[in-house]
Amino acid sequence: VPPKVPLPLARTPGDAGQVLCEIPQSPGVQSLYIHIPFCRHKCHYCDFYSIVDARDRQGSFADRLIRELRALSPWGGRPLSTIFVGGGTPSLLSLPLWEQLLAALHEVFDLSNMGTGRGEFTVECNPETVKPDLLKVLRSGGVNRLSMGAQSFNPAHLKTLERKHDPASVARAIDMARNVGFERLSVDLIFAIPGQTLEDWRTDLNTVLSLELEHVSAYALTYEPNTPLGVRLARGEVQRVDEELEADMFALTRSVLHDAGLPAYEVSNFAKPGSECRHNLAYWRQEWWLAAGPSASAHVGGHRYKNVVRLDDYLGESRDGFAPIRDYEAPDPRRALSEWIMTGLRLREGIDARLLGARAEALDPRAPARVGALTHRLREQGLLAGCERLALTESGILIADRIIVDFLRALDP
Ligand code: SF4
């Protein structure tokens, strides 16, 4: 049995109590998420933590982040399999700070997988902030995948989202990235934007296909209550697209991308076979990942937690380099099984049927019978397929949320 080492986490700023996650020292946690909280402008739909006009704080943030990475490094896999730097807009971090951050990552973690096909190191970029110098620094620092936020290629819809980039900057950034040697590129899109028609969305899909990418993410617009767009919706200043149109857009996405050689491997994610995002698969398979930076969320040893959100709190509080955490959840078999079902059924690979039965039985000896009856009914309705692995069919995917709720209900007496 590999030795287990406790990861000491301070629950809240100033809290003396600690959470101890028992983590096997080998192979360690294979994935790492890093949150860079700077943006040039706040998009109206976005509820990720980020701040604008904060260039003067980038230096102190980078110092603090590097101290946190040093503290976390003993729990990182040797070597790490995936790193994802998200935000915010990581490509806004200045070049010297990127150089410092990459040097620190190489110093404190084993990144030897990143130079081979075995490791995946992704950085999110805003297309307008991508410059050849930055791309060269990222590439030589082991970054081998870029994820670009395009959201739409239609200026009117970008305006509704309050995205400030020029749609043509996406193709320019992709070209630049290819010239520097990036082979794994992804673009994020949003559909169901107020005022968007099915034909507008088809045009966006065709535009993204013309970029000949390996990976596309396409999400329906969500209205978070704490965002300007959510407030405008509540005031009646914008209207959601109607449900039927949104469903048509979703179905169109799946068929157009599938026919172009990018089948869905998750409800909203599409890739050429072999180009799936391994970091996100680690999330959806409920593997473990470390997290660094304000508001970054981690899952280790069954514990889930989120770092303090505000940059000031993150900069101000530290114990031996660790960030204080909030939203802590202790290991809980019921929650872990629910999360595994929720994310696993959104994957094309589905979930292991035998493991589902065993985990359900561990909660309640009668749960496997209820889950079995549900599985049988869904199969008869053509919504679920597979024996060893259970996966939603194309019709099942269209009502994935409802089916997942049914599975979660079947766990309870
Ligand atoms: S959507 Fe991206 S670029 Fe826009 S505010 Fe959010 S994190 Fe920043």
Side-chain angles (χ1 to χ4, degrees):
V1 179
K4 291 188 170 185
V5 282
L7 171 60
L9 301 167
R11 279 192 200 235
T12 54
D15 181 11
Q18 288 193 347
V19 178
L20 298 179
C21 304
E22 296 270 296
I23 300 171
Q25 207 157 22
S26 174
V29 185
Q30 295 293 304
S31 294
L32 167 68
Y33 173 73
I34 298 174
H35 192 84
I36 310 279
F38 304 109
C39 285
R40 201 172 256 176
H41 160 82
K42 196 75 197 170
C43 307
H44 279 194
Y45 60 96
C46 174
D47 78 333
F48 292 117
Y49 176 67
S50 65
I51 53 174
V52 294
D53 294 331
R55 285 196 83 79
D56 56 328
R57 304 175 78 193
Q58 286 197 3
S60 45
F61 163 74
D63 289 347
R64 176 70 189 86
L65 178 65
I66 289 169
R67 275 197 297 133
E68 188 185 14
L69 292 168
R70 282 186 201 285
L72 290 171
S73 66
W75 288 270
R78 308 239 149 238
L80 279 179
S81 296
T82 72
I83 303 178
F84 195 104
V85 185
T89 307
S91 48
L92 263 190
L93 201 63
S94 73
L95 216 55
L97 294 180
W98 260 115
E99 283 167 338
Q100 278 178 35
L101 174 59
L102 290 165
L105 279 167
H106 279 272
E107 186 197 323
V108 301
F109 290 100
D110 178 347
L111 303 195
S112 55
N113 268 346
M114 305 309 166
T116 70
R118 288 193 300 275
E120 179 187 274
F121 187 168
T122 304
V123 171
E124 276 184 344
C125 296
N126 180 321
E128 288 220 315
T129 59
V130 168
K131 301 282 180 298
D133 286 357
L134 170 68
L135 292 173
K136 283 180 197 151
V137 166
L138 296 179
R139 191 74 194 95
S140 60
V143 177
N144 53 24
R145 185 173 181 276
L146 298 178
S147 173
M148 306 258 183
Q151 317 315 351
S152 172
F153 297 98
N154 180 314
H157 300 322
L158 284 172
K159 173 101 189 62
T160 306
L161 298 174
E162 277 291 317
R163 287 284 303 199
K164 294 276 180 182
H165 69 262
D166 164 14
S169 66
V170 180
R172 281 199 299 271
I174 298 281
D175 276 351
M176 262 186 244
R178 289 211 173 103
N179 288 338
V180 171
F182 282 96
E183 291 173 356
R184 300 191 60 199
L185 299 166
S186 176
V187 157
D188 287 358
L189 292 176
I190 291 180
F191 63 92
I193 301 168
Q196 191 179 35
T197 65
L198 192 60
E199 282 318 301
D200 291 344
W201 178 231
R202 192 191 300 276
T203 305
D204 272 358
L205 289 171
N206 288 335
T207 307
V208 87
L209 288 179
S210 71
L211 300 173
E212 298 184 355
L213 299 159
E214 297 71 32
H215 189 284
V216 173
S217 302
Y219 289 90
L221 179 64
T222 53
Y223 296 82
E224 304 300 336
N226 53 343
T227 61
L229 195 63
V231 171
R232 287 178 65 204
L233 180 76
R235 286 191 192 139
E237 292 167 12
V238 288
Q239 262 78 48
R240 287 175 190 272
V241 304
D242 80 47
E243 256 177 48
E244 234 171 85
L245 175 57
E246 183 172 328
D248 288 346
M249 288 176 167
F250 178 65
L252 183 73
T253 312
R254 294 181 69 84
S255 68
V256 167
L257 295 180
H258 179 275
D259 293 349
L262 295 152
Y265 68 100
E266 193 267 352
V267 169
S268 304
N269 285 272
F270 307 83
K272 287 186 183 161
S275 294
E276 297 82 4
C277 176
R278 287 176 234 158
H279 186 85
N280 283 341
L281 279 172
Y283 292 162
W284 298 323
R285 290 172 178 158
Q286 302 295 321
E287 292 169 10
W288 297 353
W289 63 91
L290 296 168
S295 81
S297 296
H299 177 224
V300 280
H303 303 254
R304 284 190 183 275
Y305 62 88
K306 181 173 178 171
N307 278 356
V308 281
V309 174
R310 290 179 58 245
L311 182 62
D312 284 339
D313 291 338
Y314 179 72
L315 294 178
E317 289 277 346
S318 160
R319 186 185 300 138
D320 303 328
F322 292 101
I325 60 172
R326 48 171 281 182
D327 297 340
Y328 169 75
E329 290 179 290
D332 172 358
R334 171 71 170 77
R335 194 198 73 230
L337 178 53
S338 303
E339 286 164 349
W340 181 68
I341 291 171
M342 280 192 275
T343 51
L345 279 181
R346 290 172 193 274
L347 293 172
R348 180 179 58 209
E349 68 188 23
I351 52 178
D352 183 316
R354 206 176 317 163
L355 191 54
L356 172 62
R359 292 181 72 171
E361 188 170 17
L363 290 180
D364 170 10
R366 283 165 302 175
R370 294 191 296 272
V371 170
L374 173 63
T375 303
H376 180 71
R377 176 165 62 78
L378 294 171
R379 271 214 188 87
E380 287 205 328
Q381 294 170 340
L383 300 171
L384 193 72
C387 291
E388 285 178 16
R389 297 195 72 85
L390 301 174
L392 297 181
T393 61
E394 204 54 35
S395 327
I397 293 280
L398 298 177
I399 53 163
D401 290 346
R402 235 173 61 200
I403 295 176
I404 287 165
V405 168
D406 287 347
F407 267 101
L408 301 189
R409 287 204 182 116
L411 298 179
D412 294 327

